[in-house]
Amino acid sequence: MKASQCLLLLVLVTACATLSAASSGGDDCDSVIYTMLPCLSFVENGSKVAKPDADCCSAFSKLVKTHPGCLCEAMNAGSTFGIPINMTKALTLPKACGVKVHHKPHCGAPTPAPAPGV
């Protein structure tokens, strides 16, 4: 794993742990987002990885089964923490991993900030 990927991984784990500690009650998506870390090398912008590996698919399958309501938050977590995610690739995870998603998420990408002066 490249040093930049290790740093991104460390930032995401730290941010998720911080959010988990600060969260309370309900379907706590923040506490399960870190389980998607094995997919980072596949979904981050600029990734040349053609298909998700077995660890990623296992994590994705578990997320779909245990916390399906957290799919969008998991897909958007990278952007929240400053890690650019290729949403087109992220949305291919169900097919690429052979995981049936009963409730298709309509996540969309986070709204970008307007350009200065606009």
Side-chain angles (χ1 to χ4, degrees):
M1 188 181 290
K2 292 187 272 181
S4 62
Q5 288 177 323
C6 289
L7 179 60
L8 289 175
L9 188 64
L10 179 62
V11 168
L12 190 55
V13 168
T14 302
C16 288
T18 301
L19 285 173
S20 294
S23 298
S24 63
D27 192 11
D28 186 12
C29 295
D30 295 334
S31 67
V32 297
I33 289 173
Y34 76 93
T35 65
M36 292 299 294
L37 288 175
C39 296
L40 188 59
S41 64
F42 175 68
V43 300
E44 71 180 319
N45 271 349
S47 170
K48 302 293 184 208
V49 177
K51 65 180 208 167
D53 63 22
D55 289 339
C56 170
C57 288
S58 175
F60 180 71
S61 177
K62 184 175 180 180
L63 177 69
V64 169
K65 288 177 185 170
T66 61
H67 294 86
C70 295
L71 283 171
C72 290
E73 194 165 333
M75 289 185 184
N76 288 324
S79 297
T80 301
F81 302 118
I83 301 169
I85 299 296
N86 180 330
M87 288 299 288
T88 301
K89 284 181 84 172
L91 292 171
T92 67
L93 281 170
K95 184 175 182 179
C97 292
V99 175
K100 188 166 193 121
V101 178
H102 297 288
H103 174 71
K104 301 261 187 213
H106 298 285
C107 305
T111 305
V118 174

